[in-house]
C-alpha cells in the first residue's frame, strides 16, 4: 500500500492528539504532528513510529515556520487545521489581546498555513480539513460569552468556501467540519462541569474517515456535526 502523509496542527492534546493516535494505528500513514509543546508530543507519541513531531506556533511568523517544516517532510496528502483557542467571557470584558489571539489562532494562522502548504501538496489529489465549531455555523444555537471564538470560527467556514472557489479547478479539496461539544481540556476549562456527549476517540474516528474519503465527494462544504438541534 502506498504511504499517505497527514499533517495535524494542534496535536499535543484533545482532539488533535486523538487524531494522531488514530492515523498512526492505520496502515500506510505517516503522521506529522505540530504544536507549540514539542516535548509533550515527543513523550506521548514515543511508541508510534509513524509519527514525526515539530514545534509550530500559530502566533508567530506562521508562513515561514510552516514552509520550513513542509519543505523537509515530503509530499503532503492531508492537512487538518485542528488547533484552536477559546475565550469564554462576556462581550464587554473581552480584551483586544484576547480578540486578536482568537482570530490569529482560529483564522489567520490557518490562512497562512494553507498558503505555505500549497506547493507541497500531492499534485494528484489532496484534502485540507478545517476544524470549526457549531458556534460558527450559521443558524445554530449560540452561547453567550463566545463572541470572539465563534465569530472567528464562522470566518474559518467562510474561508473554506472562498478558498474552494479560487481552487475549484485544482486537485486541492478543502472542507470544514463544525464540531459540537467534545470532552477535552478546552471544553472543561471553558465550561467546568459540563459533560459532552462525545469523547476524543469517537470524534477522531469520524474526522479521520472524513479526511481520507470525503474529498472524493465534496469540496468547499461546511458540515455541522451535532447531536442537538438546532
Ligand atoms: N472540544 C470541543 O467541544 C470543541 C467543539 C467545537 C470545536 N472544537 C475545535 O476543535 C479543535 C480542537 O479542540 P480541543 O478541544 O481538542 O482543544 P484543546 O484541547 O485546547 O487543544 C488545542 C490544540 O491546539 C494547539 N494550539 C493552541 N494554540 C496554538 C498555537 N498558538 N500554535 C499551535 N498550536 C496551538 C494546542 O497545542 P499547544 O498548546 O501545544 O500549542 C492543542 O494541541 C479546536 O479548533 C476547537 O476550536 C472543539
Amino acid at each position: 500500500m502506498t504511504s499517505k502523509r497527514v499533517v495535524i496542527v494542534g496535536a499535543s492534546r484533545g482532539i488533535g492528539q486523538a487524531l494522531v493516535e488514530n492515523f498512526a494505528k492505520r496502515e500506510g500513514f505517516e503522521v506529522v504532528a505540530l504544536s507549540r509543546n514539542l516535548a509533550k508530543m515527543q513523550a506521548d507519541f514515543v511508541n508510534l513510529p509513524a509519527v514525526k513531531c515539530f514545534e509550530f506556533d500559530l502566533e508567530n511568523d506562521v508562513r515561514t515556520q510552516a514552509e520550513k517544516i513542509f519543505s523537509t517532510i515530503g509530499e503532503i496528502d492531508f492537512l487538518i487545521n485542528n488547533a484552536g483557542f477559546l475565550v469564554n467571557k462576556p462581550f464587554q470584558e473581552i480584551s483586544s489581546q484576547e480578540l486578536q489571539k482568537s482570530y490569529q489562532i482560529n483564522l489567520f494562522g490557518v490562512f497562512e498555513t494553507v498558503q505555505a502548504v500549497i506547493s507541497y501538496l500531492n499534485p494528484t489529489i489532496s484534502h485540507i480539513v478545517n476544524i470549526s465549531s457549531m458556534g460558527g455555523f450559521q443558524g445554530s444555537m449560540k452561547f453567550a460569552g463566545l463572541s470572539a471564538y465563534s465569530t472567528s470560527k464562522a470566518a474559518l467556514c467562510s474561508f473554506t468556501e472562498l478558498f474552494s472557489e479560487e481552487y475549484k479547478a485544482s486537485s486541492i479539496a478543502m472542507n470544514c467540519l463544525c464540531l459540537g461539544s467534545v470532552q477535552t481540556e478546552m471544553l472543561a476549562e471553558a465550561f467546568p462541569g459540563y459533560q459532552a456527549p462525545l469523547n476524543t476517540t469517537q470524534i477522531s474516528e469520524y474526522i479521520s474517515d472524513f479526511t481520507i474519503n470525503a474529498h472524493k465527494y465534496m469540496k468547499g462544504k461546511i458540515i455541522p456535526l451535532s447531536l442537538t438541534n438546532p
Side-chain angles (χ1 to χ4, degrees):
M1 188 178 166
T2 327
S3 185
K4 296 276 181 197
R5 185 171 290 111
V6 56
V7 175
I8 300 168
V9 184
S12 64
R13 67 177 200 172
I15 296 164
Q17 179 173 6
L19 278 169
V20 171
E21 289 162 358
N22 187 295
F23 273 104
K25 281 189 213 130
R26 294 174 187 248
E27 204 185 318
F29 281 92
E30 182 183 300
V31 189
V32 178
L34 310 184
S35 93
R36 291 168 301 182
N37 199 338
L38 181 62
K40 181 174 189 302
M41 292 191 295
Q42 284 172 334
D44 289 347
F45 306 140
V46 69
N47 294 321
L48 300 175
V51 181
K52 284 185 185 159
C53 304
F54 293 87
E55 188 174 339
F56 183 59
D57 184 357
L58 286 164
E59 289 185 85
N60 181 24
D61 200 2
V62 178
R63 192 165 176 174
T64 309
Q65 277 184 85
E67 270 171 11
K68 209 167 164 185
I69 296 167
F70 298 156
S71 65
T72 65
I73 60 176
E75 206 163 86
I76 296 164
D77 299 283
F78 306 113
L79 166 66
I80 307 179
N81 290 308
N82 163 78
F85 172 71
L86 187 155
V87 55
N88 178 8
K89 273 191 180 176
F91 176 68
Q92 287 279 36
E93 292 173 24
I94 294 175
S95 67
S96 168
Q97 192 258 344
E98 287 165 332
L99 182 60
Q100 293 285 342
K101 184 169 174 170
S102 303
Y103 275 77
Q104 181 59 42
I105 294 173
N106 298 338
L107 179 70
F108 305 149
V110 175
F111 200 106
E112 288 194 63
T113 304
V114 173
Q115 286 179 320
V117 86
I118 302 279
S119 30
Y120 301 100
L121 289 172
N122 180 333
T124 307
I125 189 162
S126 62
H127 190 196
I128 300 172
V129 177
N130 297 326
I131 302 299
S132 182
S133 163
M134 279 305 290
F137 187 79
Q138 200 173 11
S140 68
M141 192 158 47
K142 297 295 185 277
F143 294 94
L146 298 186
S147 55
Y149 174 74
S150 293
T151 58
S152 67
K153 288 295 193 180
L156 182 59
C157 294
S158 182
F159 168 62
T160 305
E161 292 183 322
L162 285 149
F163 176 89
S164 299
E165 176 58 26
E166 204 161 325
Y167 281 82
K168 66 184 173 193
S170 80
S171 57
I172 308 168
M174 178 185 282
N175 289 293
C176 183
L177 294 175
C178 296
L179 308 189
S181 59
V182 180
Q183 201 56 45
T184 65
E185 281 155 290
M186 173 195 273
L187 188 81
E189 284 159 13
F191 301 99
Y194 175 80
Q195 185 59 45
L198 291 174
N199 62 39
T200 57
T201 308
Q202 292 166 318
I203 200 73
S204 67
E205 183 72 14
Y206 181 88
I207 297 172
S208 301
D209 285 342
F210 183 89
T211 302
I212 297 164
N213 294 308
H215 57 309
K216 298 169 198 157
Y217 310 100
M218 62 181 88
K219 273 181 162 191
K221 297 296 179 287
I222 298 159
I223 317 288
L225 278 186
S226 169
L227 292 164
T228 56
N229 193 16

